[in-house]
Amino acid sequence: LVFSQGQGAPYDNADFRWGITLALNIVDLSMNIFSGAGRAAPIPLLNNTSYLQEQYTKPMLEWLENFELDLGDGTTIKPFDTGYAARMAEKTGVEGTEEELQELFGVGWWKHDPEAAEKLLIKAGLEKKDDGWYFDGKPFTLELSYLADTEWQAGRTVQAAYNQLTAFGLKCNITSKSQATWDVDGGTGNYYLAGYWPSGGITTDLYSALSGFDNQLLKPLGETGSGQGCRWDNQQ
C-alpha cells in the first residue's frame, strides 16, 4: 500500500500515514492475500526476501522495537509488533521454532491499534464527527486504487484494506485501473493510496531497486520522472 505524497496534505503528513497503518490489521490482510502465506515486510522499500530479512530486517530489530510515535496528546506508542509470526502460526495451524516461524512470516510488522490511529489522524489535522471524518472542514474520503489485471497480491491487499478502513470509520472509494492506465498514473502520482510494488529488492544488489528514491530524481505531481511515483522526499 503506497501513498502518493505529492498529493499534499494530509498524504504528505507522516502522522496521517501512520494513522492509516495502525488502523489496519496485518493478520487479516495476510489471510486475504494468500491465506496467510508470506513474509511481512516492515521496511517499505524492501521485498522482505529471506536474504534481505537476514541482512537488514533482523539487524534493525532492536531499532524497530524501540521506535516511538508521538500521538499528539502527550502519549507515545512503540508501534512495532514482534508477535505477528506467532499469531500467524496460530491462525494457520503452522508449528515451528521461533526462528522457523520468523523465516515463514517475518520478524514483525506494525500493531493494529485503532485508538492510536484515531489520535494520529487527529494530530494530522483530521476531525472525527458523528457522520465521519473531516479535513479542512470538508468530509474526507480516502480513494484506494489497485491494478485490475496484474499484481494480484497488491489488489487483494487493497480490497481487504478497503473493508478494514471502512469498518474503522473512514469513508473510502475503491477503483481498479488497467495496466495501461496505471503506467501513466503511477509515474505521475495520479492516485492517493494504491496497491502496487514500489520497489524490488529481490537480489543482493539493491541499487536498481532503491536508486529511484534519490530525491534529485523527483518531479512535480503530474510529471513523469525517473524517480519513484510516491514522491517520498528525503533530503539525505
Side-chain angles (χ1 to χ4, degrees):
L1 294 173
V2 183
F3 294 90
S4 181
Q5 297 176 40
Q7 294 287 353
Y11 300 93
D12 60 354
N13 188 316
D15 292 318
F16 172 79
R17 300 193 299 272
W18 274 114
I20 297 298
T21 301
L22 298 188
L24 296 171
N25 185 328
I26 183 62
V27 171
D28 290 344
L29 287 179
S30 185
M31 292 301 295
N32 274 275
I33 302 169
F34 286 139
S35 298
R39 192 181 299 111
I43 304 171
L45 302 186
L46 303 179
N47 295 349
N48 202 27
T49 62
S50 181
Y51 172 81
L52 294 179
Q53 176 161 271
E54 293 298 323
Q55 296 298 317
Y56 290 89
T57 317
K58 283 186 176 180
M60 289 182 66
L61 192 53
E62 182 179 355
W63 184 91
L64 290 166
E65 291 175 324
N66 290 305
F67 174 71
E68 285 191 341
L69 292 172
D70 179 355
L71 299 182
D73 64 347
T75 63
T76 61
I77 183 177
K78 292 183 178 180
F80 192 67
D81 179 16
T82 56
Y84 171 70
R87 290 202 309 281
M88 286 305 301
E90 182 178 0
K91 187 83 171 179
T92 57
V94 172
E95 297 181 356
T97 65
E98 181 181 10
E99 185 174 348
E100 288 170 339
L101 295 181
Q102 286 183 348
E103 174 65 18
L104 286 172
F105 300 114
V107 298
W109 205 68
W110 308 105
K111 294 177 180 177
H112 177 223
D113 192 328
E115 182 179 350
E118 284 197 5
K119 291 180 179 180
L120 286 164
L121 293 182
I122 292 170
K123 185 184 176 187
L126 277 73
E127 181 182 5
K128 188 179 183 182
K129 298 184 179 182
D130 291 341
D131 59 344
W133 288 89
Y134 283 69
F135 184 69
D136 281 345
K138 301 176 182 178
F140 179 75
T141 300
L142 180 62
E143 181 176 304
L144 295 89
S145 307
Y146 68 95
L147 282 73
D149 46 11
T150 186
E151 298 191 14
W152 312 113
Q153 308 98 321
R156 290 171 180 169
T157 306
V158 172
Q159 293 168 46
Y162 168 83
N163 291 332
Q164 290 190 17
L165 294 174
T166 300
F168 171 74
L170 284 167
K171 182 179 179 182
C172 301
N173 291 333
I174 186 168
T175 60
S176 63
K177 299 185 177 185
S178 68
Q179 182 67 58
T181 300
W182 181 251
D183 284 345
V184 176
D185 288 352
T188 59
N190 184 29
Y191 65 94
Y192 294 89
L193 180 58
Y196 72 98
W197 294 107
S199 63
I202 59 174
T203 64
T204 56
D205 181 3
L206 292 179
Y207 180 76
S208 62
L210 301 183
S211 59
F213 287 88
D214 185 335
N215 79 326
Q216 296 182 68
L217 302 178
L218 297 182
K219 295 291 185 181
L221 193 73
E223 296 183 20
T224 301
S226 52
Q228 33 72 28
C230 70
R231 288 167 171 75
W232 176 60
D233 189 357
N234 186 312
Q235 296 300 311
Q236 295 178 327

